[in-house]
């Protein structure tokens, strides 16, 4: 019944207007699974390869016809006839067919589309929501949303060196309440920025991209917006940052171009520690560059008991890289982006490895997204308790929040909101 009978890929458009892959997987019983593939801008060097048609140095705006062809002409034949319920075999078949360590022949974008669409088709065949099919009977934990309300770095054209300033409503009673709290703060922040003469244009992930120069200026605006909305910073709503430090880690130094200063690895770490002292920052993602292992280890030893330190570029959702990090005392949390690794099976393996080691897990979007909401379901399926999926102002981001609102409603009295404990904080 759950035998794969048809696989079709097409080129669609993502939230930045760039081409991306969408895949339909159809089963013998007529069940249809459809998945669209996201795309990053501040990508980790060790991510699985996103296949683009043209010159890779100019890849945004380039087509994904080669990846679409890889699905339609190569992968489709290999997975047709397999059982969609046997996700591990479907994914292993594609990995073997590709035959490279980074999925560079067929493209991680090709593999991921098929992998996720397969799981979605199997869920439809079982008349189950995706979170239940993947997560089983215990899939009922709604994640704390990390909402990106100020954009900088590679996601905006303003001088802010850090890429993301987020709010996480840890004190909400439900996910729906968390979304409402976040949107209230978002609107207060908009009014405060306007009143201060700033632009309220938004960046790639829908957060405001004002002409601010330092992290302190951004954090001050966010803290004041939380207070003015009537919430307590640190208790009701905590702060989260993604400096995306690999982007400005150059030849051993952290080059803050917007602020106009350079910091050594130790100075950069001391600066982050100072921000954690001065502001209610409960989590920092990519505080250090992906190649600054010593810096990562030192910062984890220094701040790891007080602050969630989440590895994005440094782990690339790759189980082997994560294992090495766990061994070396790098980070205490991992960001999970399905397209960094390219299959659902490998994504779930990374989540399990993290959980077994006591690392927290944050399910994440990419800066280039579509209306696909798979990661919302995966956040519940894995019980990871945290999701970062942008601001409250773009349909590609709100689609995920709205899907989680629906899941919470569907779960009814079974639903639990992850709250402060998800970030390793006491509630
Ligand atoms: C979501 C992020 O951005 P991108 O998708 O550009 O890597 C990130 O760095 O966490
Ligand atoms: Mg990141």
């Amino acid at each position: 019944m759950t035998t794969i009978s048809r696989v079709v890929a097409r080129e669609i458009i993502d939230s930045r207007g760039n081409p991306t892959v969408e895949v339909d997987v159809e089963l013998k019983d007529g069940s249809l699974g459809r998945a669209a593939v996201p795309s990053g801008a501040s990508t980790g060097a060790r991510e699985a390869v996103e296949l683009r048609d043209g010159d890779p140095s100019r890849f945004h705006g380039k087509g994904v016809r080669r990846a679409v062809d890889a699905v339609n002409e190569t992968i489709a034949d290999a997975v047709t006839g397999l059982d969609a319920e046997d996700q591990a075999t479907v994914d292993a078949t594609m990995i073997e067919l590709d035959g490279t360590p980074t999925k560079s022949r067929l493209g991680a974008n090709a593999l991921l589309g098929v992998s996720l669409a397969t799981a979605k088709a199997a869920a439809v065949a079982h008349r189950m929501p995706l979170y239940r099919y993947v997560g089983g009977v215990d899939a009922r934990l709604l994640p704390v949303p990390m909402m990106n309300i100020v954009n900088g770095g590679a996601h905006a054209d303003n001088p802010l060196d850090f890429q993301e300033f987020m709010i996480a409503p840890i004190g909400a009673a439900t996910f729906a309440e968390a979304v409402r709290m976040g949107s209230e703060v978002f609107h207060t922040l908009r009014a405060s920025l306007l009143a201060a003469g700033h632009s309220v244009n938004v960046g790639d992930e829908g957060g405001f991209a004002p002409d601010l120069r330092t992290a302190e200026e951004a954090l001050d605006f966010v803290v004041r917006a939380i207070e003015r909305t009537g919430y307590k910073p640190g208790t009701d709503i905590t702060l989260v940052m993604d400096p995306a430090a690999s982007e400005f880690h150059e030849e051993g130094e952290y080059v803050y171009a917007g602020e106009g200063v350079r910091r050594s690895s130790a100075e950069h770490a001391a600066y982050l520690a100072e921000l954690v002292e001065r502001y209610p920052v409960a989590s920092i993602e990519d505080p250090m560059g992906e190649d600054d292992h010593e810096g990562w280890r030192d910062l984890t030893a220094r701040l790891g008991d007080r602050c969630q330190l989440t590895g994005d570029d440094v782990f690339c959702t790759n189980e082997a890289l994560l294992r090495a990090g766990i061994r070396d005392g790098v980070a205490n949390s991992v960001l999970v982006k399905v397209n960094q690794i390219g299959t659902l099976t490998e994504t779930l393996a990374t989540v399990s490895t993290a959980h077994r080691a006591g690392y927290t897990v944050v399910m994440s979007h990419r800066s280039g997204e579509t209306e696909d909401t798979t990661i919302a379901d995966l956040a519940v399926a894995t019980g990871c308790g945290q999701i970062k999926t942008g601001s409250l102002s773009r349909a590609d981001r709100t689609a995920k929040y709205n899907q989680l609102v629906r899941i919470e409603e569907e779960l009814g009295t079974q639903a639990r909101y992850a709250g402060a404990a998800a970030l390793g904080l006491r509630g």
Side-chain angles (χ1 to χ4, degrees), residues 158-175:
N158 58 359
L160 274 174
D161 297 299
F162 288 6
Q163 182 178 282
E164 301 171 29
F165 296 86
M166 294 166 269
I167 49 173
I170 50 173
T174 63
F175 183 82

Side-chain angles (χ1 to χ4, degrees), residues 293-312:
H293 269 253
E294 205 180 308
W296 252 114
R297 275 199 305 273
D298 291 349
L299 189 79
T300 306
R302 176 177 189 163
L303 273 189
D305 60 341
R306 263 174 297 156
C307 191
Q308 177 173 266
L309 300 170
T310 306
D312 172 9

Side-chain angles (χ1 to χ4, degrees), residues 32-368:
L32 177 72
R34 173 172 293 161
V37 177
S39 175
S42 59
T43 48
R46 289 176 281 271
E47 292 192 18
V49 173
E50 178 185 71
L51 205 60
R52 294 271 166 189
D53 298 342
D55 172 0
S57 67
R58 303 177 53 223
F59 81 18
H60 280 294
K62 295 283 179 186
V64 291
R65 301 270 170 190
R66 283 199 292 153
V68 166
D69 289 348
V71 175
N72 292 336
E73 292 166 13
T74 308
I75 296 175
D77 277 351
V79 301
T80 299
L82 296 183
D83 186 355
E85 261 186 57
D86 188 354
Q87 185 77 41
T89 296
V90 171
D91 290 344
T93 301
M94 292 193 288
I95 290 167
E96 198 179 319
L97 195 62
D98 173 79
T100 70
T102 52
K103 304 183 175 74
S104 59
R105 192 172 83 83
L106 301 173
N109 41 352
L111 269 68
L112 182 69
V114 176
S115 183
L116 296 181
T118 296
K120 291 169 96 170
V124 170
H126 286 281
R127 296 171 195 268
M128 277 185 198
L130 184 64
Y131 67 88
R132 173 73 66 214
Y133 171 71
V134 175
V137 288
D138 205 32
R140 60 200 186 95
L141 189 69
L142 273 295
V144 172
M146 296 176 159
M147 296 147 161
N148 181 351
I149 59 174
V150 177
N151 284 197
H155 294 169
D157 287 327
N158 58 359
L160 274 174
D161 297 299
F162 288 6
Q163 182 178 282
E164 301 171 29
F165 296 86
M166 294 166 269
I167 49 173
I170 50 173
T174 63
F175 183 82
E177 189 186 343
V179 170
R180 188 177 48 72
M181 289 166 72
S183 63
E184 286 169 359
V185 174
F186 183 72
H187 288 294
T188 309
L189 177 62
R190 185 176 193 280
S192 311
L193 288 169
L194 278 176
H198 288 290
S199 144
V200 287
N201 292 340
V202 297
D204 284 356
E205 297 183 351
F208 300 116
D211 230 18
L212 304 175
R213 295 205 166 263
T214 66
E216 285 97 324
E217 286 177 275
L219 291 168
D220 284 336
F221 264 104
V222 173
V223 167
R224 268 186 265 126
I226 293 169
E227 286 168 348
R228 278 184 195 157
T229 312
Y231 295 117
K232 205 159 176 274
T235 311
D236 297 324
I237 300 183
T238 196
L239 305 187
V240 177
M241 296 193 297
D242 179 6
S246 308
E247 293 293 310
F248 57 97
H249 184 227
E250 292 167 22
E251 290 162 10
E253 276 195 319
Y254 290 86
V255 181
Y256 289 59
E259 195 181 329
V261 296
R262 303 168 85 91
R263 294 183 170 97
S264 68
S265 182
E267 287 165 350
H268 169 71
Y271 176 62
L272 292 174
E274 188 191 315
L275 292 179
V276 171
E277 275 305 312
R278 287 179 48 201
Y279 297 92
V281 174
S283 178
I284 310 178
E285 176 188 327
D286 279 0
M288 310 305 285
E290 62 196 323
D291 296 322
D292 187 2
H293 269 253
E294 205 180 308
W296 252 114
R297 275 199 305 273
D298 291 349
L299 189 79
T300 306
R302 176 177 189 163
L303 273 189
D305 60 341
R306 263 174 297 156
C307 191
Q308 177 173 266
L309 300 170
T310 306
D312 172 9
D313 289 355
V314 72
F315 298 143
C316 291
T317 315
N318 181 311
E319 197 189 3
L321 294 177
L322 175 62
R323 279 187 197 284
I326 292 167
R327 183 197 61 210
D328 295 342
V330 166
N332 54 26
S333 174
V334 57
L335 198 80
V336 167
K337 290 166 162 169
V338 281
N339 80 319
Q340 280 184 327
I341 191 67
T343 66
L344 179 59
T345 304
E346 290 165 291
T347 302
L348 296 176
T350 299
V351 172
S352 302
T353 294
H355 281 159
R356 277 198 303 274
Y359 275 43
T360 56
V361 172
V362 181
M363 194 61 60
S364 173
H365 66 161
R366 297 311 302 250
S367 50

